[in-house]
Each structure stands twice: as structure tokens, then as C-alpha cells.
Amino acid sequence: MDHDHSNKPQSDDRITLSSAVAMGTGVMIGAGIFALTGQIAQLAGPIFPLAFIAGAIVTSFSAYSYIKMSNAWPSSGGIAMILQKAYGSGAIAAAAALLMAISMVIAESLVARTFATYVLRPFGISDGPLIPVLAVGVIVFAFIVNKFGSRSVGALSLVMAFLKIGGIALFGIAALWAGGFSFAAETEATFEGDVIGFVASVALAILAFKGFTTITNSGGEIVDPHRNVGRTIMISIAICVVVYLLVAFAVGSSLTIDEIIAAKDYSLAEAAAPVLGQTGFYFTVVLAAIATASGVLASVFAVSRMLTMLTDMKMIPHRHFGMSGPIQGHMLVYTVVVASFLAVFFDLSRIASLGAFFYLVMDMIVHWGVWRFMRHEIKANGLVILTALALDAVVLAAFTIMKLRSDPAIVVIAIVSIMTVFALQRIYLSRWIAPAQESAHR
């Protein structure tokens, strides 16, 4: 009797294009928009909706490298696979992949604090010890669900994706309708912004789109992946643009720019009250709680899976610290501990800033590796890749300048953290680029 020993999913188990888009948008849309809208407005001023458009443009160029690599090698390796193909199993690939994993952990803490901020808003609490306590609580809840009910994570995340996307879109349309389609933020004349501020805001807008990278992790499970991975990513980005613009204009129709900045950590709830009343306010709070809780749940699973994969690929060291069970269980613990630490000791603005630094550096390393080593093999357009690299560099430079003005400490923390990751990986792997891979690219 013949047996199929391949790891490829059967045709009935493969993900269709529509399902892949649903999952992709579910990952991309949600918790981030609740935390980032106010912070983007703080940097960009009255034209903050344009930051989401600019973020989508930069993300679309960035997606090109991931799409071309995933089309050539559709797998569950995702970013780790791309980096390993480009640089080999050396410190550059490992450190960049670890930066991505850390940025995902940072996103967990961002989402967890956003959950706490919105849940406590009806009680008039916008600061104090209850916010980090509740943030840690939702992270621990996500850990318990992942630890004892991992099979339900995917189904629950998919259901929550439809609820939060539909709810966010409904909020945007209702707020715009109730506000008479006027844009209150545009009439605010006290904002003193500049070009650097707007470009810096794009760095945060990119965070609202960066979830597209998780689609590449399911490349081997999607029907006709050579064709549908790219389509899934671009359709998901397009849907995100529409939803984010709805939210941005809805907030801008209700609040002036000063009011948005004052309520930057809970701007959607604040925007709902003037035009939709208390019902709208509570609807937004509940919607934020659902979106953020499901976001933490999905993110904890994704990070632990990615770290487990990096461990299996011998790209990062691993210690059990006396724990029993599989490696992914250990990674769940590490993920929760680090995310909880960030949620306790960093506010939303600093968490988002760290995420932007880590993600942009990782993204630039991906583009350089694909352009330098892989573009001929995957038949990619070098100009598009270099454009993506240049756009990332401009956004990162502007964001760094802006943060040096307002919060130089977070720039130092980001630089030291990134350098530490690369130094430790270099010590662990004893080489920057794997010799076999390096010679193959010459």
C-alpha cells in the first residue's frame, strides 16, 4: 500500500483565496488602529488620513519582495525562509528574523495596553496602575487559551476578524454620517507640524499594515500559492486602506486635532461620543475590547510559532529553564513574559516607536538581501526593490529625527537593543552569512 508522507495539506484542507484574504485582513485590521490613529494625528496634524495612504504605498512597495520570494518558494517559513534564502543561516538572517519576532511581541504589548485603556475608559480612568495590570491580564488570558486550547485559536480569530472588521467599518460610516461628512480636524489652526512630522507619522501607519507579512507564513497552505499569495497580500492591503480611511475621517469629523491628540490613546471612543452619543461610545469600547483581545490571542500564537521555527532552524539558542513539554510551550512563556514587561514599563507611544524601529530595520534587511542575492533567481525588478528600500530609509530617518526631538531615550533604547540582538547572534552563530549560501550567490 502506498502512503503519502508529504507535509503538504490535502486539497480539501487548503486555504482558498477568499479565506486567505479574510485571515489576512483579520490580522492586519483591528487593534493597531485603535492605538495608532491618535499617535499618527499627533505627528501628521490635520492631514493625518493621508498618512495611511502613504503608509499603504510604502507597504505595497515593501510587499513586492515578500511576494516574489513567496511565489518562488511558498512555504510556512515566512520571513525566516526569505532571510535564510538570501543570507544563509548566519547572524544577519537570524538577527533580522529575531527583530521581526520581537516587533511582534512589542505589538502584543501595544495591543494589550490599548485593551486596558479602552476597557477602563467608561470609568474615567486613563492612567495609573490599573492599565498595566489589566494589560498583563489580557496577555495571560491569551497565554492560557494558547496553552490549553490551541485548536480553537484559529477558528476564534477568524470569527473575531469578521466582527471587528465589520464593527470598525460600521463605526466609521455611522460617525461620518452623523457628523455630516465635515472634517473638524481640518479647521484646527493651532497645529504646528512639518514635513518631517508627516513622514515620521508614516512609520506608525506602516505598523497598521505590517500584518501582511503573516500571510507569507501560510504560503504553502494556500490554493495555487504561486499566484494567490501575492493577490491575497495586495487585496488585504487595499481593504485595509478603505477601512483605515473610514476610521481616520470618522475621528476627524468629530474631533479637532487638539482633541485627537489629547485623547490619542482612546481617540476612537472619544470620537464616538459627540456624534453617536453614549451608545456609540460604549459600542466603540466593546469593539476595541474584542479587537484587542483577539489581536493579543492571535499574536501570541504567531510569535510562539515563529520563535519555535527559528529554534528548529538552529538560528536562535534555546534554554528550557527547567520547563517540560514542547519548545512551542516554552516560547509561549518567553513571549508572555517579555510582552508583559513591555506593557508594564512602557507607554503606548514608546511601545509603538520601538515596534516601528525594529520592523523598519528588519524590512530593509529583507529588501537588501533580496536585491543583492536573489533578484535574478526570482526574476524580480531590482528598481522596485531599491525603491522599497529607499522609502523605508526615508521614513526611518524622519521617524528617528522626530523621536530625537521628542523622546531621545527611546532612540537610544532602540539602537542599543538592535545592536545587542546582532552582537549576540554573531557570537552564537560565529558568522554573518553562511559560507555555502554566500558562495552560491557569487
Side-chain angles (χ1 to χ4, degrees):
M1 183 181 294
D2 293 331
H3 297 278
D4 182 8
H5 296 284
S6 69
N7 292 322
K8 292 182 180 180
Q10 300 299 316
S11 59
D12 291 342
D13 297 328
R14 294 174 72 84
I15 303 171
T16 64
L17 175 63
S18 58
S19 296
V21 171
M23 288 191 296
T25 52
V27 172
M28 294 167 69
I29 299 176
I33 194 67
F34 289 93
L36 295 173
T37 300
Q39 294 189 46
I40 290 171
Q42 185 176 25
L43 293 175
I47 60 172
F48 72 93
L50 297 181
F52 287 106
I53 297 177
I57 293 172
V58 175
T59 301
S60 296
F61 274 98
S62 290
Y64 181 78
S65 294
Y66 298 87
I67 290 172
K68 296 297 289 186
M69 290 293 287
S70 295
N71 285 348
W73 296 284
S75 71
S76 297
I79 290 171
M81 177 276 293
I82 294 173
L83 289 163
Q84 189 182 50
K85 288 283 186 182
Y87 295 102
S89 298
I92 292 179
L98 196 55
L99 285 183
M100 181 60 189
I102 295 173
S103 75
M104 293 167 70
V105 176
I106 290 171
E108 287 172 20
S109 57
L110 172 71
V111 172
R113 280 196 71 110
T114 303
F115 171 86
T117 302
Y118 273 84
V119 168
L120 293 174
R121 189 57 194 156
F123 305 99
I125 300 173
S126 58
D127 201 0
L130 277 180
I131 288 181
V133 168
L134 196 55
V136 172
V138 75
I139 292 173
V140 172
F141 166 76
F143 167 77
I144 293 172
V145 174
N146 274 276
K147 184 70 174 175
F148 299 105
S150 58
R151 290 185 178 181
S152 63
V153 172
L156 182 59
S157 297
L158 197 57
V159 171
M160 290 299 182
F162 282 106
L163 288 177
K164 65 187 179 183
I165 293 171
I168 292 170
L170 181 62
F171 158 78
I173 294 170
L176 277 174
W177 185 275
F181 296 93
S182 61
F183 196 60
E186 194 174 76
T187 64
E188 179 60 54
T190 61
F191 180 81
E192 296 181 2
D194 55 19
V195 174
I196 291 179
F198 175 79
V199 177
S201 73
V202 176
L204 296 180
I206 290 172
L207 291 182
F209 292 99
K210 80 179 183 72
F212 84 87
T213 57
T214 61
I215 296 173
T216 63
N217 293 336
S218 301
E221 302 168 22
I222 296 175
V223 174
D224 191 8
H226 299 282
R227 181 164 174 256
N228 284 335
V229 169
R231 294 172 68 191
T232 299
I233 290 175
M234 297 314 295
I235 292 171
S236 297
I237 292 173
I239 293 173
C240 285
V241 173
V242 174
V243 174
Y244 291 164
L245 286 178
L246 269 176
V247 170
F249 280 108
V251 172
S253 70
S254 304
L255 306 174
T256 66
I257 197 66
D258 284 344
E259 290 170 336
I260 295 173
I261 293 172
K264 65 179 181 179
D265 291 345
Y266 46 88
S267 57
L268 269 67
E270 197 73 4
V275 294
L276 301 177
Q278 283 299 102
T279 301
F281 171 79
Y282 286 113
F283 169 78
T284 307
V285 169
V286 172
L287 178 61
I290 293 173
T292 49
S294 63
V296 173
L297 182 66
S299 182
V300 167
F301 176 77
V303 173
S304 63
R305 182 181 178 186
M306 182 176 183
L307 289 174
T308 300
M309 180 178 61
L310 291 174
T311 302
D312 291 339
M313 295 167 69
K314 310 298 183 185
M315 294 177 74
I316 60 174
H318 179 69
R319 294 291 182 273
H320 292 270
F321 294 108
M323 292 185 290
S324 59
I327 291 177
Q328 186 167 355
H330 307 165
M331 293 305 175
L332 277 173
V333 175
Y334 304 153
T335 298
V336 166
V337 169
V338 175
S340 297
F341 174 84
L342 291 170
V344 170
F345 293 103
F346 288 79
D347 60 20
L348 283 174
S349 178
R350 282 190 158 184
I351 292 172
S353 297
L354 269 180
F357 281 121
F358 279 51
Y359 176 76
L360 286 170
V361 170
M362 181 281 304
D363 201 46
M364 292 173 68
I365 292 171
V366 167
H367 296 320
W368 174 254
V370 174
W371 182 85
R372 175 68 178 82
F373 299 118
M374 306 303 301
R375 72 181 189 277
H376 298 302
E377 187 171 353
I378 63 176
K379 298 179 173 59
N381 187 315
L383 182 59
V384 175
I385 298 173
L386 289 179
T387 300
L389 183 62
L391 289 173
D392 275 352
V394 170
V395 171
L396 179 60
F399 190 68
T400 303
I401 292 171
M402 181 59 66
K403 285 300 171 181
L404 284 172
R405 294 176 181 173
S406 61
D407 188 10
I410 199 63
V411 179
V412 174
I413 291 172
I415 293 174
V416 171
S417 299
I418 292 170
M419 291 177 65
T420 300
V421 168
F422 274 89
L424 291 177
Q425 286 299 109
R426 177 64 175 79
I427 293 171
Y428 174 65
L429 294 172
S430 304
R431 59 192 181 189
W432 290 113
I433 297 176
Q437 197 79 351
E438 184 179 36
S439 61
H441 290 142
R442 286 180 179 174

